[in-house]
Amino acid sequence: APAVAGEYEHALAGVKEFDAVFDFTHGDPLIANIILHAVDTVDDADEVASMTSEPRLAIVFHDAAVHLLSTERGDQDDAAWSEVQKFQSTLKEMKEQGVTLEVCAYALDVFGVDRGTVIPEVDQVPNGFVSVIGYQEQGYALVRIP
């Protein structure tokens, strides 16, 4: 019989740990919120929740996504700014749930985002690529979000 939506019989066969690092670069606030919701729910599946180890999730922000982390509105219109605030609120909830959040300081500088305006839930690292590689070396699966 065909698999029913929500079943991960093949994808999670033999998987004992569910660790993932999301390399998040998408900068459009509306689309970023849709993607972030999907990221926020990856560990909600019964098959993942029933694993013996607690899932470990990390998100490393690069590229235009760094604009989504600033408390400065910049030139964003009301609709975009509302989406940014929603994005930041979701990140705060995810941090409280144990998700590791990091932003590439190099990307902040390149994209002109004042490091002092980054929401406190997101840790600043000198080079986010080092973090992504480090998480992979620790066994985290890489998920790219261009």
Side-chain angles (χ1 to χ4, degrees):
V4 177
E7 293 181 6
Y8 300 98
E9 176 182 340
H10 300 291
L12 297 177
V15 174
K16 295 180 181 13
E17 295 181 354
F18 193 83
D19 303 330
V21 57
F22 297 85
D23 186 10
F24 203 112
T25 62
H26 198 86
D28 177 272
L30 178 63
I31 302 302
N33 271 314
I34 294 167
I35 296 167
L36 188 62
H37 175 72
V39 171
D40 190 25
T41 61
V42 297
D43 57 347
D44 292 348
D46 291 339
E47 296 88 345
V48 174
S50 66
M51 290 183 182
T52 55
S53 298
E54 193 71 25
R56 296 183 303 169
L57 304 176
I59 306 174
V60 181
F61 297 96
H62 298 274
D63 206 272
V66 300
H67 292 289
L68 303 173
L69 308 176
S70 176
T71 57
E72 286 187 355
R73 180 177 178 151
D75 60 356
Q76 299 180 59
D77 63 25
D78 290 344
W81 182 241
S82 176
E83 292 294 331
V84 169
Q85 291 175 313
K86 179 180 172 185
F87 188 84
Q88 292 177 4
S89 178
T90 302
L91 288 179
K92 290 175 186 177
E93 292 171 10
M94 292 175 79
K95 180 72 169 194
E96 291 171 1
Q97 297 167 2
V99 176
T100 300
L101 305 172
E102 297 180 355
V103 62
C104 175
Y106 178 76
L108 290 171
D109 295 344
V110 168
F111 283 87
V113 176
D114 181 346
R115 293 180 186 194
T117 67
V118 174
I119 60 173
E121 291 78 15
V122 180
D123 297 324
Q124 297 179 34
V125 296
N127 186 327
F129 293 141
V130 173
S131 288
V132 171
I133 293 166
Y135 287 117
Q136 289 180 87
E137 290 298 317
Q138 293 177 53
Y140 285 62
L142 172 64
V143 180
R144 290 191 59 246
I145 303 174

